[in-house]
Amino acid sequence: RAASRGGTGLANGADVGAIGENVATVALAERYDLAAGGVGGPDSTWLGQVAAADSRTSVVTLGASYSYRTDDVPPAAELIPGWTVLGDAITNTTSHQGITLGLAYPFLNRKMSVGLTGRYDWRASETEGNDSAFNFSLSAAAKPWEPVTLALGINNALDLGYPDTRRLVDFGVRWEPGEYLGLEGELTTEWMGDPIEESLAEHVGVDVGVTTWLRLSAGWQHEAGDHKGGGGRALVSEKAELDYSLGGEVGSEPARLWHGVDVR
C-alpha cells in the first residue's frame, strides 16, 4: 500500500503491512487485520508478504509479518568474479526473507502507545553467500486530538552491518478528518549518522475516497537526490479492501516501475 503513498505508513494504523515500523500506531484503535500482497519491479524484483495485527483480544497489541523477496541487483565491483566466459551475463540472484514479531501497549484510553518489534532476516546470494541477523525496533504513537496521529520509530537499533537493513529514525504525521480523506507526511534519517546533510528523506501521501467503495491514493518521496512518485486505487468494503499501486523513479531511463497488489 505504501508504494502509492510515497512510502508513508508509519502514522497509519490501518497499514498492517508496515507492522515492523508502526506497531505502536496500530495499537491506538481496536482492530483485527490480516493482509497479504506482492510487488514486482526492476532488477527482477518480486516480493510477497503476509501480515497480521490484533489489538482487540487484549490490551496488548500483537503483530507479525513474513516477507520473501528475490532480486538480481548487480554485485559490487569487488564481488565480480575475476574471470567470466565471454558473452555470459554476470548474475547475482539473491533471496531475502524476514520474520517480524511486535507488541505494543496503549494507555490514556488509547491516546498514546509504545511498541517493541523484533526482526530476524536471512539471505542467500550468488556472489555474497549466506548471511542472517536479528535486530529490534522501537516505536511510539499518539493522538493529541482525534483527526491527528503522530508516530516515531527507531528502526534496527543495533549496528550489525547486515546488508538488508538500515538504521533509521522516522517521524510521521497523519491527518484524517473523516473516512474520505487522509493526508500523511514522514521524515526519515539515518540513526547515529549524519542526518541532515546526507540522509534526510521526505515522504508525502494522500488518500481520497471517491465513493463508499472506491478510494484513490497518490504520493511522492525524495531521498539522496532521487524522486519517486506513485498512485493507486482501492476497492473498499466493510470487511475487505483490494489495493493496486504503481510507483516509479522520476526521470529514470529506462523506466523503473513497481506494481503492487494487496488484499486486507
Side-chain angles (χ1 to χ4, degrees):
R1 303 177 75 181
S4 66
R5 299 161 173 83
T8 60
L10 181 70
N12 185 359
D15 188 1
V16 297
I19 199 69
E21 292 81 33
N22 73 349
V23 65
T25 309
V26 172
L28 294 179
E30 292 188 5
R31 65 176 67 251
Y32 183 82
D33 283 358
L34 177 65
V39 175
D43 299 320
S44 301
T45 299
W46 295 98
L47 164 71
Q49 176 177 285
V50 293
D54 179 8
S55 61
R56 301 174 73 176
T57 303
S58 73
V59 67
V60 176
T61 295
L62 300 177
S65 69
Y66 167 77
S67 63
Y68 179 87
R69 184 177 93 247
T70 63
D71 55 35
D72 187 3
V73 179
E78 63 270 17
L79 297 176
I80 296 177
W83 60 272
T84 58
V85 177
L86 185 64
D88 282 1
I90 298 175
T91 62
N92 184 33
T93 302
T94 305
S95 65
H96 317 253
Q97 299 183 69
I99 294 176
T100 299
L101 296 174
L103 56 87
Y105 181 77
F107 49 96
L108 296 180
N109 197 26
R110 294 192 185 269
K111 293 298 184 183
M112 299 184 69
S113 68
V114 291
L116 173 66
T117 304
R119 181 179 178 95
Y120 180 71
D121 291 275
W122 65 102
R123 71 198 308 265
S125 169
E126 279 188 287
T127 60
E128 301 171 58
N130 301 336
D131 198 1
S132 63
F134 171 82
N135 220 312
F136 73 92
S137 302
L138 303 171
S139 58
K143 291 184 77 69
W145 59 94
E146 190 57 35
V148 175
T149 303
L150 308 177
L152 177 68
I154 298 176
N155 299 307
N156 302 309
L158 302 177
D159 185 7
L160 302 177
Y162 185 70
D164 281 358
T165 56
R166 299 176 63 195
R167 306 179 70 211
L168 299 174
V169 178
D170 301 334
F171 175 71
V173 180
R174 183 173 179 83
W175 180 55
E176 205 165 14
E179 60 178 328
Y180 290 103
L181 178 62
L183 297 172
E184 189 166 353
E186 193 171 319
L187 293 175
T188 302
T189 189
E190 296 284 349
W191 170 243
M192 304 296 287
D194 188 349
I196 301 301
E197 296 181 7
E198 297 182 6
S199 63
L200 187 66
E202 305 89 28
H203 310 256
V204 178
V206 58
D207 297 285
V208 178
V210 180
T211 69
T212 56
W213 56 269
L214 177 63
R215 184 181 62 235
L216 303 180
S217 57
W220 166 86
Q221 64 187 87
H222 169 254
E223 182 176 5
D226 295 328
H227 296 264
K228 295 179 182 178
R233 59 185 178 181
L235 301 178
V236 181
S237 72
E238 183 181 355
K239 297 294 185 181
E241 295 184 14
L242 174 64
D243 273 84
Y244 166 74
S245 300
L246 173 64
E249 293 184 5
V250 177
S252 61
E253 186 63 42
R256 291 173 60 83
L257 299 175
W258 289 265
H259 298 268
V261 176
D262 73 35
V263 178
R264 181 170 73 89

